[in-house]
């Protein structure tokens, strides 16, 4: 059966595509977290820094791992100059946004579809289904502002794609500036 555009898909196809994308996002961040750990496992000893407590597989500490990796990367690539450091800083900001997004999306609630965006015809049959994301909280006061986020499947797919491309961008930065990287510190027992 040919794949229909999400806006014309039946509700079960819409939900299936949403769940496929959500799983893809969770998997991408899991691979990302693993690779951050590998980088720390290599850079820690390279820089003579103990990173063992950040590499416990039983504790989810991606935020802390990213913070430590940033400190090590900024030190190692400091000789590359301000432009390189600004690019790494921007990358780490994007990485942290992806981490927060994954955490929010994994712990919040979803409506698939959550509501519909009507077309000029005003007919539901022509309406585009939207995802509804409701962040996790327990504030049930009636006058609370609605903090729901609505998006198309295409917008959600773009967020997933951005998360998947993060480590490729990291490797490209490291490769671009590797000639400027500080050499390994000598081992001191």
């Amino acid at each position: 059966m040919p794949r229909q555009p999400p806006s014309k898909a039946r509700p079960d196809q819409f939900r299936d595509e949403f769940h496929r994308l959500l799983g893809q996002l969770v998997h991408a961040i899991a691979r990302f977290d693993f690779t951050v750990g590998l980088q720390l496992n290599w850079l820690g000893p390279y820089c003579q820094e103990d990173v063992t407590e950040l590499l416990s597989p039983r504790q989810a500490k991606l935020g802390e791992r990213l913070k430590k990796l940033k400190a090590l990367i900024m030190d190692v690539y400091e000789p590359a100059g301000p432009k390189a450091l600004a690019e790494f800083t921007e990358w780490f900001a994007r990485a942290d946004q992806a981490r927060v997004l994954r955490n929010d999306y994994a712990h919040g609630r979803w409506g698939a579809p959550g509501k519909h965006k009507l077309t000029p015809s005003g007919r539901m049959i022509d309406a585009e289904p939207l995802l509804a994301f409701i962040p996790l909280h327990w504030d049930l006061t009636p006058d609370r502002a609605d903090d729901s986020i609505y998006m198309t499947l295409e917008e959600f797919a773009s967020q997933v794609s951005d998360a998947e491309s993060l480590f490729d961008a990291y490797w490209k930065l490291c490769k671009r500036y590797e000639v400027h990287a500080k050499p390994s510190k000598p081992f001191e027992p």
Side-chain angles (χ1 to χ4, degrees):
M1 178 168 136
R3 203 164 177 172
Q4 293 178 305
S7 60
K8 299 297 178 192
R10 293 188 318 269
D12 57 332
Q13 291 172 314
F14 184 86
R15 280 189 295 275
D16 289 349
E17 180 63 6
F18 161 68
H19 287 116
R20 185 189 71 76
L21 288 167
L22 185 60
Q24 197 173 326
L25 176 66
V26 170
H27 186 64
I29 299 300
R31 284 190 328 260
F32 173 74
D33 190 2
F34 177 71
T35 307
V36 167
L38 290 175
Q39 284 292 283
L40 282 175
N41 198 38
W42 169 70
L43 269 175
Y46 183 87
C47 296
Q48 295 293 308
E49 297 229 8
D50 183 16
V51 295
T52 52
E53 81 173 41
L54 294 170
L55 299 176
S56 169
R58 300 270 185 240
Q59 297 175 3
K61 296 180 176 182
L62 179 55
E64 292 176 39
R65 282 191 283 277
L66 279 171
K67 185 177 177 181
K68 183 63 172 181
L69 181 61
K70 180 180 180 181
L72 294 173
I73 287 291
M74 298 306 266
D75 178 52
V76 167
Y77 289 98
E78 184 267 332
K83 180 178 181 278
L85 297 180
E87 289 180 54
F88 277 111
T89 298
E90 184 205 330
W91 182 87
F92 277 100
R94 285 181 48 225
D96 198 54
Q97 287 171 350
R99 178 192 64 81
V100 169
L101 185 76
R102 200 260 346 139
N103 287 348
D104 286 349
Y105 283 4
H107 296 288
R109 294 175 291 133
W110 287 92
K115 72 185 213 182
H116 291 78
K117 180 179 175 184
L118 294 176
T119 61
S121 75
R123 300 180 321 170
M124 276 301 287
I125 192 117
D126 298 326
E128 180 177 17
L130 298 174
L131 292 169
F133 172 70
I134 302 98
L136 178 65
H137 60 75
W138 289 268
D139 180 1
L140 303 177
T141 56
D143 58 345
R144 176 183 67 75
D146 181 10
D147 55 357
S148 301
I149 299 167
Y150 299 96
M151 67 188 92
T152 65
L153 270 178
E154 290 82 8
E155 291 167 329
F156 185 54
S158 177
Q159 292 177 350
V160 172
S161 178
D162 289 348
E164 288 179 318
S165 69
L166 269 174
F167 240 88
D168 186 45
Y170 172 80
W171 292 125
K172 286 178 181 174
L173 281 174
C174 290
K175 191 73 174 157
R176 183 179 315 139
Y177 296 111
E178 73 183 348
V179 297
H180 302 285
K182 290 180 181 176
S184 176
K185 293 181 181 175
F187 180 71
E188 296 172 12

